[in-house]
Structures are given as C-alpha cells and as structure tokens.
Amino acid sequence: MKNKFKILIALVLSAFCLLNIKNVSAEDYLTDKTETTYDNTNGLVTGKANSITQNDEGYIYIGQYRGLTIYNSKEFETYKFSNGYSIENVMSVESLNNVVYIGTQRGFFSYDRLGAHEIILTNTNYSISEIQIFNDLVYVSTSIGLFVYNPNTNVINHLTDDEVTSLTANNYDLFFIIKKKLYVKSITNLTNNQYSILDEFKDEIVTSVYYSDTLYVGTEKGLFETNTTHFYNLSSSVNINCYAEKDNNLFLACDDGLIIFSKSTKKIEKVKSLSKFTSIEKIIFDHEGNLWLASSKKGVIKITPNILYDYFFDNNLDEASVNAFIKYKGLDYISTDTGIYVVDSSTNTNLTETSSLIDPLLRNVRIRASQIFNGDLYFATYHSNNFDLVKFDGTNYENIDLSQYISNSNPNASDVRCLYATDKYLFIGTKHELIKYDGSTFTTLKLNAEPLYIYHSHNTVYMVLENIGIAHIKDDFTSDSIYSYEDNGALHLSLKIINIKNKLIFNDTNTLFYIDLADNAQIHKINHEFDGSIVEILYLNNKYYIGTDTMIYIFDDLFSDEEPNTIGITEGLKGTLVANANGYYDKEENSYYFAASNGVYKLKLDNSLIKHSVPKIQINKIITNDSNTIYDIDKELKISNRTQRLTIDLDVLTYQVNPNYKVYYKLDGIDDDYKLLTENDSLEISYTNLSGGNYKFHAYVENGNFKGNEITFSFNKGKRFYEAPGFWIVIVLLGIIIIALINFLFYRHKLKKSLELQNAYKEITLESIEAIARTIDAKDHYTNGHSLRVGYYSREIAKALNLSKMDVENIYYAGLLHDIGKIGVPDSILNKPEHLSEDEFDVIKSHTSEGATILSSISVIPNITLGARY
C-alpha cells in the first residue's frame, strides 16, 4: 500500500506539472465583501450551525441542533421530525441529485423536498458526525465506524469499526482519519474491509484530509501538500475542519476563521473581514458564487462577491475622500483632502507614514489632482500656503510657484483646481486662468470663471467652467477668444466632458448631452435616465462607463435604447463617487480606479471578471382551492375536475444582497405570450376555472441580459361530465329530436285541423252536389232519384274495380252530376207526356253537351265533364 500511494503521488505530481493552471489571485475573495449573518435573530432557530449544503435546485440546507432548516432566499423553514423520528441534533448535511442526506446524533436520514423521507440508519447507541459524497456514494462517519450507502441499490455497508473523523476520495482510493492517523482503502471493492495506514504521516497528528489533483492533509501544525511534499505552517491555533475549492484556490474552514491557499502561487492568506467568525465547521459555494460558512458558535454567514474591489480595505487604509488616484514608478499615489497616501499594492503595504517619498509638509495639504508629464508626477494643491503646483520625480519634491503667471492678486488665485497632461503640454487650471506648460515655458490664458475639469482632444482644450458650462480653445492658444457652448444656461452644472467618435459627451446634473462636432456643434440629449448626479464619463474597451455619485452604468452603445448593466452598493460601491475627480485606467491590468468619498474602488474591465449572478427558478408547490397542496410535481400530475383555482408557487433562488431579476411565465392555451414578474411581485400565479384537458406551464428567470434556468411542467385537469365530447353530441341530438318532435306535433295538430276542415269542406261539397243532383231529378219527375242511383252504382263499380279512393270519389261525383245539363231543358219538354217532336228531342239530347259546358269550370274533380258528356 505504501508503494501504491507513492506511485499515486508521482502520477498526480506529473499531471500537476503538465497542467497549464491560470494564475488566479486570492484578491477576489480577500477584498471587502457584503457579509450577511443569519442566526436566531433573523431566521435560524438557534445561533449555531453545524453544517450547510445546497442541492441542485438551489435550496440551502442548514444542519442545526434544533433540526434541519431549509432556506429559499426569502424565508427559513425548519423540520424536526421525519416519519415520527426526530431529526434534531443535525451534525452533517450533504446533497446528491436533489436528495439531502442528514446525519444526526440518532440516525442517518434522506430527505426530499418534494416530501419523500427515508430512514437509513437509526440507533440510540451511536451518533453520526460527518457525511461525505464521492463517486455518487454516500459515506457516513459514525461513532462506531464508517458506513457507505449506495442510493441506487439502497445497500449500506460497514467499512470500519473505528470512528472516522475526516475523509476524502479520488477515483481509486478512500483516505480517512482514525484516531488522528491517516489511512487509505481501495474503493474498487468496498465490501473488503481491509485498509492500511499511510507511512508518510505516522508521526503527524492529522486532523483533516482533502483531495483535489493531489492529497492535502491538515495537521495540528498546518497544511501538507503531498504532490510537492511541502508543509505550510498556518498558525498555532488553526484546526482545519472543512475544505472548499474555487478558481484554483483552496478555502480552509478553521477554528479561528477562514484561510485561503492559492494552489498556483502557494500563497496563504487569512480573510481579514472574518476575523471574529470562528469555529467554522463547513463551507460551500452556491450557484451564484456566494460563499457560505456554518459556525458552531456564530450561525451562518454569507459572503457575496463584489464586482468592485475596495482598495482601501485591501491595503489597510483609513477612509478618506479621494480626489485623484495614479500609479507612478511601481507605487500608488492617492490624493485626498488631507494629503497623499503612498501604497505598494503588490505587498499591500501603506508607505504613507514611513516613507521618505512624501514631503512632510504635503501630509495635511488638500490635493485636487495628479498627472504624469514628461516622466514626472505633478500634484495640484488647493488652499495651501506653501505649495501651488508640486513636481515629483520619484525621489524629490519641487514646488512650482504659479503666482508670477497669474494677474489676480487674490491670495488663493494660484490654487490649482485641475490638471490634464498630453504628450506636448501640461494644462493647469487655477482660479481664473488656464496655464499651459511645455516643460520649460508657462503660457497663461485669462478665464472669466474657475475651471473645474480640463479635457484635451484633437488639438483642442475643453474646459468645464464653474456656473458657465463648457468652453474650448485650440491648444496653441492662437485664438484670443474662448468659445462656449450655450443652451439657455442648461449646461452650467456640467462636471465631466469627453470626446468619443467626434461626439462631445457631457452632463447636466443627471442628464447626458452630446455635441456632434461634425454637425455644426448642435446639442442633443441622450435618452437614458440615471440615478444621482453624473460625475464620471468614460469610454474604455469599446464600452461607455457613466458614473453617478451612487451608481456606475455600463453601455455597449450609449446612443441606443439598450438597457445598461449597473454596479452599485450590491456590487461593492459603498461610498459615493467624487465629482471632478481623477480616476485612473491601468492598461496593463485592464482596470479602472474610481475615486470615492470613502476611498478607491477598482473595477476589472475584463468582461469575464464582471460577475453577473444568475438566479435559479423552481416550483415550490401547487395549491388548489380545496386546500390541496402538491409538492411532488412530475410528468403525470393530475388535477381534480372539481378544482376551480390553481396556484403555482414559484421560488426564485438568488442569494444576492439586493436581488434584481425578472420572471417570465405562461400557460400554453391560456396565455398568448409570456407575462412578466419582478422581484417586487408575488411569485404565486393563479389560474381560475380552467377547462379540463392537458396544460403545459413555462417559466424562466433573467438577471440583466443573463438568462437563468427554465422550468416546465405539464398537468392534466380532469374533465367534468359536460366537458366530454360525447356529452355535447348527445345534447345536440336530443335538441334535434326535441325540435323535430315539437315540429311533428305542431304540424300533426295543424294537419289534423286541416283534415278536419277539409272533411268539413268535403262534406259540404258532397252535400251540395247531392242537393244539386236531387234538384235535377226533381225537375224531371220521370227520373226522380236517377242521379243518386247512377252515382251510387258508379261508386260501387269503381270500388269493385279496386280504383283509388280519389278515383272512386270522383266517379261518384261525376255520377251525381252527369244529368246537370237538364237544368237548361225547359220543363215543358222535359215533362211532356206526349211524344216529343224531332226538335224537342234535339233539345233533350243537348243536355249532355250543356252539362259538360256547365261542369267545365270545375277543375278539382278530374274528368267530371266526361261523365256529363258521355
């Protein structure tokens, strides 16, 4: 085993040497941060925390003596029981695949936020001190030995009989500490309980162990790095309890605070701001890069990374209002209202009080500006009896008396308010003059106001004149006139001016303007709103930086409608930026130093280093109107058909100090487009009276221009009986049947009435015809009853011939009326007892044609004329 371990170390060392590791300084973590402490005064049940972890969803889990506490960035919720078993006295928590494993003094539990609880080990005879997860296996250190649990098979094995106080693993071996000795065991066969002591550490009292590219061993004296076999002495009171890693730095949680070890530079530093936060048991980084520490004495502290680096904090300087910052010959010179700071920032050493680089007389003088010209550093003094313009060559100071170049006899006339250096000239702004210095000669230009700021571009000097505005003149002073841009006095408050792409950009309080120098110097307003007064206008690396007294705005295009990124108090700007101050752009490190009321703040302009926290969004629960709360949200989620209101409760998991995010959501089939929520809105989204069917909900979160995760879930709401497709078919069919039945009954009734009326008419017709027949027969007493008999016999014959009912009736009518023509025969002829004459007989014979003529107008009885004619 000894040889095996040495081979492992050699291989790791070789791989380590071949890696091209980026040299990342610990500066990002050592600078002043926004620190938030959680204890029993603001959410935790006690002021002590034994462990902390974050699951993949983004929830924070805190192990305390009083239970397991879950934090969703807005509220804390503590659980003390699981399926009847106490989960108090939580000593360790770890997360794997969103399942949190909990070690208490009474057992080993798993916990799923969606409601699944499982008891894996429980025994009153031993306690669990530590849980670690390696290679998707859960290792549990107890007072009776080390166990390993496989979540996939639900099998737990007992690896050692002795208590393990710290452990770590790589892909091949498990390293652990028993009774302050370091052992190693192969993880390829965990059922084999054999393990060996590491000879290299037999004589050391080891307290902790961590593996990352190589093995790190914490001892009572310090930290041992096995690949280099180098020992780093931390301090006599350090005991490393936990390790975390970020950006090639190891973070060591110790009894007396937090220590950072740079794996690349091998530099060890203690985080100064956490000097009072002791007994750190566990540290983690969350998904936004915030650092969380659990202390068994102080509770939980969250350290939020700042985009801005507090220069004064890092270099142990007392707060001061800064007017100018500049780097000169390897040192930093900070001009304040009470003198000059000189700092060696490479070693974080303040040289102000001990160095001979500062003239003692300058230590209480107000310095307004500093510039480098012709290799020398110049300081602008203000209201000083001993100095005007101070020249410094890195060793000696020289005061340049400007009174001989100033016509005004005012004792403060030679106060220097501002400086600006070019390759050819140093421009000096005094009380009422602009002085140009070429290294040997001073040239004076009389002004009618004090210059607050000087800017030079394209052989032109631009000045911000107090209470007047912007003026400009050629830098050779060949013109006798100073030209001013005026806009009805709107520009008199301008503090800064800059020329970018032939556009002169300047401000009036909190509004930006620009003068298009190619467009007859017309003044235009830039349509962006800014909080506070604008004091800084920069254009660096193709970006615009607009600084107000409380905020820094970053634009890719200042002249478009794009939303800027912002840097404020959340990102580390705890002071206000100073007006008319001189910041400093360090081209080599691509950083800008802002002068502020309480110091200097450095902004790294490399986009990759401007951190943007991206929150996570999750569905916490779904609530229905019948008080049914659903946590287990899966693809088969079904909602009762009786649900009238459905509420989706979202969690936006962001742990920034002042979060700024937007949530977009929609429900397919209900919302035509995404709807917007902000951090000030409720995250409970309700839908009422949803129809039965399938639905899909979408939501995602954004912070600035950065999009976080997107969540979707589908659910099915059961259909009510009236929502079934067949229901409405039946309803339609029933409606058709009912309408048809109503119509049928209506028309049958109408038909019945019509038939009754027809029968009445028919009866009348029949009676009328029979009456006519009787009338005809009554006229001829020889044939009385003849027409009725002919009608009767004809009808009976037609029936016998099986003619239709209508034909039978028509034949009957024809029989009754066949002699109707006799109406036209005189009674004397019709009833003559004697033989008729030939003429009389012709009259008698004519009754057939006369009958046909009479009946010819009747069309409703077919062929009735034929009965009379033939």
Side-chain angles (χ1 to χ4, degrees):
M1 179 57 68
K2 176 179 178 181
N3 292 333
K4 179 180 179 181
F5 180 68
K6 288 183 176 179
I7 292 172
L8 171 66
I9 292 178
L11 290 173
V12 172
L13 178 58
S14 299
F16 183 87
C17 294
L18 292 174
L19 288 176
N20 180 19
I21 300 177
K22 183 179 179 182
N23 187 357
V24 179
S25 170
E27 175 190 15
D28 294 4
Y29 310 104
L30 291 174
T31 191
D32 189 21
K33 301 292 183 184
T34 302
E35 299 172 5
T36 307
T37 300
Y38 301 102
D39 53 26
N40 57 337
T41 65
N42 58 353
L44 298 185
V45 290
T46 69
K48 299 177 181 181
N50 299 318
S51 187
I52 189 168
T53 191
Q54 183 180 44
N55 70 353
D56 293 342
E57 293 176 314
Y59 292 90
I60 297 291
Y61 292 81
I62 303 168
Q64 297 188 267
Y65 287 114
R66 294 285 296 276
L68 177 69
T69 299
I70 304 176
Y71 184 44
N72 66 355
S73 77
K74 287 191 174 180
E75 59 185 3
F76 295 87
E77 188 171 5
T78 299
Y79 296 88
K80 297 182 180 181
F81 297 94
S82 173
N83 293 340
Y85 284 87
S86 171
I87 55 173
E88 294 185 301
N89 299 314
V90 178
M91 305 306 296
S92 184
V93 288
E94 289 291 344
S95 175
L96 175 63
N97 298 327
N98 282 326
V99 176
V100 176
Y101 295 94
I102 310 161
T104 75
Q105 292 181 348
R106 294 295 180 90
F108 172 46
F109 305 86
S110 69
Y111 173 82
D112 189 328
R113 187 181 60 85
L114 301 181
H117 305 265
E118 186 174 358
I119 303 163
I120 303 171
L121 283 175
T122 180
N123 195 311
T124 59
N125 297 323
Y126 62 82
S127 63
I128 295 174
S129 59
E130 184 180 26
I131 299 174
Q132 294 279 8
I133 295 175
F134 306 111
N135 304 316
D136 292 335
L137 297 177
V138 184
Y139 292 84
V140 186
S141 176
T142 76
S143 57
I144 61 170
L146 180 63
F147 293 82
V148 60
Y149 171 69
N150 189 332
N152 296 321
T153 62
N154 203 31
V155 172
I156 190 164
N157 291 318
H158 194 176
L159 302 184
T160 73
D161 294 328
D162 296 311
E163 181 180 8
V164 172
T165 57
S166 182
L167 66 153
T168 190
N170 55 26
N171 292 327
Y172 310 101
D173 293 295
L174 178 68
F175 304 96
F176 50 90
I177 298 172
I178 298 176
K179 299 179 180 178
K180 299 185 178 182
K181 296 294 182 181
L182 184 58
Y183 292 82
V184 62
K185 170 181 171 53
S186 173
I187 64 174
T188 58
N189 185 6
L190 289 176
T191 59
N192 184 344
N193 292 337
Q194 294 181 353
Y195 49 92
S196 303
I197 191 170
L198 288 178
D199 294 337
E200 286 79 359
F201 303 100
K202 278 186 176 180
D203 298 328
E204 292 286 341
I205 298 177
V206 294
T207 57
S208 61
V209 62
Y210 177 76
Y211 189 90
S212 172
D213 300 326
T214 188
L215 187 67
Y216 294 90
V217 181
T219 73
E220 289 187 347
K221 298 178 181 178
L223 179 68
F224 188 86
E225 186 179 45
T226 58
N227 68 333
T228 62
T229 66
H230 189 83
F231 180 79
Y232 299 92
N233 186 14
L234 301 181
S235 73
S236 58
S237 60
V238 166
N239 182 47
I240 304 173
N241 300 315
C242 181
Y243 300 77
E245 186 173 359
K246 187 176 178 63
D247 295 337
N248 215 29
N249 290 294
L250 283 185
F251 292 77
L252 313 178
C254 305
D255 282 345
D256 65 345
L258 180 65
I259 294 176
I260 300 175
F261 169 68
S262 173
K263 294 170 62 178
S264 54
T265 65
K266 310 303 180 184
K267 185 178 180 180
I268 292 180
E269 296 182 75
K270 188 172 183 178
V271 178
K272 294 171 287 188
S273 62
L274 292 174
S275 58
K276 296 181 180 179
F277 198 81
T278 60
S279 300
I280 303 174
E281 306 295 338
K282 183 74 179 292
I283 53 177
I284 62 168
F285 285 94
D286 67 23
H287 65 275
E288 295 176 299
N290 302 303
L291 178 63
W292 296 75
L293 303 93
S295 166
S296 57
K297 292 184 178 179
K298 300 290 186 179
V300 171
I301 190 168
K302 176 185 67 179
I303 303 177
T304 304
N306 293 334
I307 293 176
L308 292 175
Y309 301 99
D310 189 335
Y311 181 95
F312 271 41
F313 177 87
D314 290 341
N315 292 283
N316 298 308
L317 301 179
D318 294 332
E319 288 189 359
S321 181
V322 175
N323 300 314
F325 179 96
I326 199 165
K327 290 179 177 286
Y328 180 66
K329 293 187 177 182
L331 299 177
D332 301 342
Y333 291 82
I334 303 106
S335 301
T336 74
D337 286 345
T338 58
I340 302 172
Y341 286 118
V342 181
V343 175
D344 184 352
S345 56
S346 65
T347 60
N348 300 118
T349 305
N350 180 6
L351 305 175
T352 304
E353 299 297 331
T354 61
S355 175
S356 61
L357 297 176
I358 300 178
D359 190 311
L361 295 177
L362 282 173
R363 288 182 178 168
N364 295 307
V365 174
R366 188 177 188 185
I367 311 295
R368 295 302 302 259
S370 59
Q371 290 281 289
I372 298 173
F373 176 65
N374 282 352
D376 296 321
L377 178 58
Y378 289 82
F379 295 100
T381 69
Y382 202 76
H383 287 191
S384 171
N385 296 324
N386 300 308
F387 300 97
D388 289 347
L389 179 66
V390 176
K391 176 182 176 182
F392 177 59
D393 62 6
T395 303
N396 300 309
Y397 284 88
E398 176 189 351
N399 179 56
I400 300 174
D401 186 359
L402 298 179
S403 60
Q404 56 186 310
Y405 309 110
I406 296 172
S407 59
N408 196 307
S409 60
N410 187 303
N412 294 324
S414 60
D415 287 348
V416 184
R417 178 65 181 264
C418 49
L419 298 172
Y420 195 95
T422 70
D423 292 339
K424 296 169 58 178
Y425 305 111
L426 176 66
F427 293 97
I428 308 158
T430 67
K431 201 72 174 177
H432 293 95
E433 286 84 16
L434 174 65
I435 300 175
K436 179 178 64 176
Y437 176 54
D438 62 6
S440 59
T441 304
F442 291 89
T443 306
T444 302
L445 181 68
K446 181 67 176 176
L447 303 175
N448 60 349
E450 183 175 13
L452 304 178
Y453 185 74
I454 301 172
Y455 176 77
H456 182 272
S457 177
H458 297 87
N459 299 319
T460 302
V461 180
Y462 297 92
M463 296 169 288
V464 176
L465 301 180
E466 188 173 27
N467 296 323
I468 292 180
I470 300 171
H472 67 100
I473 190 171
K474 289 295 182 181
D475 60 10
D476 58 8
F477 288 7
T478 55
S479 173
D480 293 333
S481 300
I482 298 176
Y483 297 94
S484 297
Y485 298 105
E486 295 182 359
D487 184 23
N488 298 322
L491 308 180
H492 72 278
L493 293 178
S494 183
L495 298 175
K496 278 291 176 80
I497 187 167
I498 191 171
N499 184 5
I500 302 298
K501 300 177 182 178
N502 221 24
K503 288 183 172 66
L504 202 66
I505 305 172
F506 56 94
N507 72 294
D508 183 359
T509 313
N510 61 350
T511 304
L512 279 181
F513 297 89
Y514 73 93
I515 296 172
D516 191 339
L517 299 177
D519 183 23
N520 298 319
Q522 294 296 312
I523 297 176
H524 306 274
K525 181 181 178 181
I526 297 176
N527 294 320
H528 287 288
E529 296 182 356
F530 301 93
D531 291 332
S533 298
I534 297 171
V535 298
E536 186 73 86
I537 305 172
L538 302 170
Y539 184 73
L540 298 169
N541 295 350
N542 299 316
K543 289 184 181 293
Y544 296 88
Y545 296 84
I546 309 300
T548 70
D549 48 8
T550 58
M551 190 78 68
I552 300 170
Y553 297 80
I554 306 173
F555 296 87
D556 288 320
D557 184 2
L558 185 62
F559 302 94
S560 71
D561 293 332
E562 74 160 271
E563 290 294 323
N565 288 318
T566 58
I567 298 174
I569 187 171
T570 303
E571 294 76 24
L573 183 59
K574 294 182 284 294
T576 58
L577 299 185
V578 175
N580 302 124
N582 292 120
Y584 179 76
Y585 174 58
D586 189 324
K587 187 175 182 180
E588 182 178 347
E589 65 178 26
N590 196 23
S591 298
Y592 190 83
Y593 292 79
F594 289 91
S597 61
N598 63 344
V600 173
Y601 293 92
K602 181 175 74 171
L603 173 64
K604 293 184 178 180
L605 303 184
D606 183 350
N607 289 335
S608 65
L609 295 179
I610 298 179
K611 307 176 184 68
H612 293 274
S613 109
V614 180
K616 286 189 175 184
I617 187 170
Q618 300 294 343
I619 296 176
N620 179 29
K621 57 190 173 184
I622 293 177
I623 308 169
T624 61
N625 60 286
D626 53 1
S627 300
N628 183 24
T629 301
I630 304 167
Y631 290 95
D632 191 4
I633 302 163
D634 57 25
K635 296 180 180 179
E636 303 300 326
L637 181 62
K638 295 185 180 296
I639 305 297
S640 168
N641 60 6
R642 296 184 299 275
T643 299
Q644 297 176 339
R645 185 180 68 255
L646 183 73
T647 300
I648 303 169
D649 182 19
L650 299 176
D651 279 336
V652 174
L653 302 166
T654 176
Y655 301 101
Q656 297 300 304
V657 178
N658 294 308
N660 180 23
Y661 61 80
K662 295 178 181 178
V663 172
Y664 295 89
Y665 72 93
K666 75 170 182 176
L667 184 63
D668 288 346
I670 301 298
D671 301 319
D672 294 333
D673 201 356
Y674 280 95
K675 296 183 177 181
L676 172 65
L677 297 172
T678 68
E679 71 274 11
N680 297 319
D681 297 322
S682 170
L683 294 177
E684 290 189 351
I685 303 166
S686 294
Y687 294 94
T688 57
N689 299 321
L690 291 175
S691 302
N694 295 316
Y695 294 91
K696 191 171 186 179
F697 178 81
H698 308 259
Y700 65 91
V701 62
E702 284 185 354
N703 180 19
N705 298 323
F706 293 83
K707 182 178 178 180
N709 66 310
E710 181 172 357
I711 54 172
T712 61
F713 85 96
S714 300
F715 64 92
N716 174 270
K717 182 184 178 184
K719 294 180 180 292
R720 303 297 291 266
F721 69 91
Y722 53 79
E723 293 180 313
F727 173 81
W728 292 109
I729 294 175
V730 171
I731 291 298
V732 171
L733 290 177
L734 286 176
I736 293 173
I737 292 172
I738 291 172
I739 292 172
L741 181 62
I742 292 173
N743 285 332
F744 170 76
L745 293 175
F746 173 75
Y747 284 109
R748 190 179 74 166
H749 174 74
K750 188 174 181 180
L751 179 61
K752 181 180 178 181
K753 292 295 183 181
S754 176
L755 290 174
E756 289 176 353
L757 185 60
Q758 288 180 14
N759 290 333
Y761 289 156
K762 187 175 180 180
E763 192 68 28
I764 292 171
T765 301
L766 178 60
E767 290 176 353
S768 300
I769 292 174
E770 289 177 345
I772 293 172
R774 290 188 185 95
T775 301
I776 295 169
D777 290 345
K779 189 173 182 180
D780 183 359
H781 63 274
Y782 290 109
T783 59
N784 187 23
H786 166 71
S787 295
L788 293 175
R789 287 191 294 277
V790 170
Y792 171 76
Y793 290 129
S794 298
R795 182 176 64 188
E796 294 304 314
I797 292 172
K799 288 180 180 180
L801 293 173
N802 292 323
L803 297 181
S804 67
K805 183 178 180 181
M806 184 174 290
D807 287 341
V808 170
E809 290 180 353
N810 290 338
I811 288 173
Y812 177 61
Y813 295 149
L816 292 175
L817 298 176
H818 78 282
D819 274 344
I820 194 170
K822 289 182 179 180
I823 293 176
V825 178
D827 291 343
S828 60
I829 296 175
L830 188 64
N831 293 313
K832 184 178 179 180
E834 297 87 3
H835 287 286
L836 301 176
S837 66
E838 187 176 348
D839 292 335
E840 290 175 335
F841 190 61
D842 289 338
V843 172
I844 287 293
K845 289 191 293 183
S846 66
H847 85 277
T848 58
S849 58
E850 289 295 330
T853 301
I854 293 171
L855 298 177
S856 64
S857 61
I858 300 176
S859 60
V860 295
I861 304 176
N863 301 319
I864 194 170
T865 58
L866 298 180
R869 186 181 298 279
Y870 301 108

